Amino acid sequence: MFKKILVANRGEIAIRVMRAAKELGIQTVAVYSEADKDAPHVAYADEAFPIGPAQSTLSYLHIPNIINAAVHTGAEAIHPGYGFLSENDHFARVCETWGLVFIGPPAEAIRQMGIKAGARQIMKDAGVPVVPGTEGTVSDLDEAREVADQIGYPILVKASFGGGGRGIRIVEDAGGLADALERASREAKSAFGQGDVYLEKYLINPRHIEIQVMADKEGQVVTLGERESSLQRRRQKVLEEAPSAGVTPEIRRRMSEAAAAAARAVHYQSAGTLEFLLDQAGHFYFMEMNTRVQVEHPCTEFITGIDIVKEQIRVAAGLPLSFSQDDIEFRGWSIECRINAEDPDLGFRPSPGTVTTWDEPGGPWVRVDAAAKEGYTVQPYYDSLLAKVVTWGRDREEAIQRMARALDEFRVDGVKTTIGMHQVLMADQEFRHGNIHINFLAERFKGA
Ligand code: MV4
């Protein structure tokens, strides 16, 4: 096992990773920008190393500074967390060059899944259902017209490179196709430096379901069930849960099989997530693979009892997963609410400032992963996630009641937060019935 690892991230996920390291008896190195000298992740670490100015391109995204920190402190491996360098295959390769272990999948698996049109083809070849659409990228307007006529409108134009909803256009009819292709391609080119696009049939009000997978160097691939993350606004996830109220045991079995086949197809290692869209008829389609640990991994940890980050570190050190598929039993229900420093009255604009009151919820089956406290200043440079409140219950109803109770206990002053929005959601009848889909929040909370 490693003696010392470096965590190339900040905030709650940096602390989450260091907690796993500590339980494994591993020393931790934090890195920090000039804005983060007094940040909680720095205080938590055994040692800390500065990596540059506040702006993340010059610090948390600056590969030479991070490699230098690892070499200088004698760390043997680097955990990238989520965001920042976590899905950068170039970074994974540079780590290798310097004799550092990247705690994540092989660089080649990251690269393959980063090219969305290519990932679609790999999945198709592996027998994983994909949304009807083009074979690879669109080469010209004639081809696009032909495919679109075949699959029927509405269709989506998607950028092959990048993600996060950039470079996506809905096309209602043949008249809008040329313009959408042009705009999506231009947007992708300016955002990701690459303008390739592909077409998919546009699914109406599907659920967004993802399967957690883990794999080790011995080729063992296990699946840890699904999470539902349909509740998003402007492509930002707001609330996740595991399992999903829309997934039957039969769908779960078939989706898990598809996810395992997908992971095998790219010789996956470490933790990863296969994203699917599930339509109202119960058909599911591969959308993307996330080759990192996700924000919402605690929901899966609650219903399986598996520490996903500890397993990532084990696998990176060359050890087998500590459990097999037969050991996995799902128990109860888990919900995660993302508490952001945002102002609901200003269209959820980020609300930086200094936290003057911080009273976290506690009690049975409530987990709070946070990196804020009294006196902590929310920086404008980074994302606005303040805390994740995660609850477990024997069933969905109990997990929701417990979340409502936990949210009521949570007191934050000094910055505006999304706690109130979650309280409204917990009381919403449609949500309580589990009748949700990817457009639910936009429809239910117009302007919210
Ligand atoms: C889709 C879709 C409907 N049909 N693809 C949005 C982000 C990107 N990664 C994929 N996205 C979507 N792809 C087809 N063929 C709807 C969305 C989508 C969405 C997906 C998951 C969660 C929230 C969403 C919100 C709007 C649109």
Side-chain angles (χ1 to χ4, degrees), residues 15 52 60-61 146 162 193 215 224 257 272 287 296 308 362 372 385 445:
I15 294 178
Y60 296 103
L61 288 168
E146 199 174 306
L224 297 178
E257 259 174 34
M287 198 165 51
E296 60 269 33
I308 292 173
L385 185 68
F445 297 88

Side-chain angles (χ1 to χ4, degrees), residues 131-132 156 158 163-166 168 200-204 206-208 229-230 232 235 275 277 287-288 438-439:
V131 187
L156 269 186
K158 291 187 174 184
R166 302 276 284 285
I168 289 191
E200 276 184 5
K201 175 139 192 84
Y202 180 60
L203 304 177
I204 309 295
R207 288 173 184 261
H208 183 240
S229 51
S230 296
Q232 316 204 358
R235 313 259 157 81
E275 294 189 353
L277 292 174
M287 198 165 51
E288 285 175 23
I438 62 170
N439 300 308

Side-chain angles (χ1 to χ4, degrees), residues 317-343:
L319 297 169
L321 289 168
S322 72
F323 61 94
S324 68
Q325 191 69 64
D326 289 343
D327 298 327
I328 300 301
E329 266 177 68
F330 301 114
R331 195 154 171 267
W333 211 282
S334 179
I335 297 182
E336 171 182 281
C337 289
R338 296 191 187 195
I339 311 303
N340 291 337
E342 290 171 1
D343 189 346

Side-chain angles (χ1 to χ4, degrees), residues 19 100 132 172 187 261 292 335 370 385 398 433 440:
R19 282 179 165 143
L100 298 159
E172 300 293 347
E187 189 174 314
R292 60 169 192 274
I335 297 182
L385 185 68
E398 192 176 44
H433 284 120
F440 177 87

Side-chain angles (χ1 to χ4, degrees), residues 36-48:
D36 274 343
K37 282 192 193 83
D38 301 318
H41 78 280
V42 174
Y44 192 92
D46 294 312
E47 58 189 298

Side-chain angles (χ1 to χ4, degrees), residues 272-283:
T273 305
L274 279 293
E275 294 189 353
F276 296 94
L277 292 174
L278 174 65
D279 73 14
Q280 285 148 348
H283 303 294

Side-chain angles (χ1 to χ4, degrees), residues 10 34 45 64 67 76 100 112-113 187 197 214 217 223 264 289 326 338 343 360 364 390 395 410 415:
R10 63 182 303 284
E34 279 167 19
I67 296 288
E76 302 152 80
L100 298 159
Q112 285 180 297
M113 288 303 176
E187 189 174 314
V197 296
M214 289 216 71
K217 290 187 198 298
T223 57
R264 286 198 183 89
M289 181 170 190
D326 289 343
R338 296 191 187 195
D343 189 346
E360 266 177 32
V390 197
D395 52 27
F410 210 162
V415 295

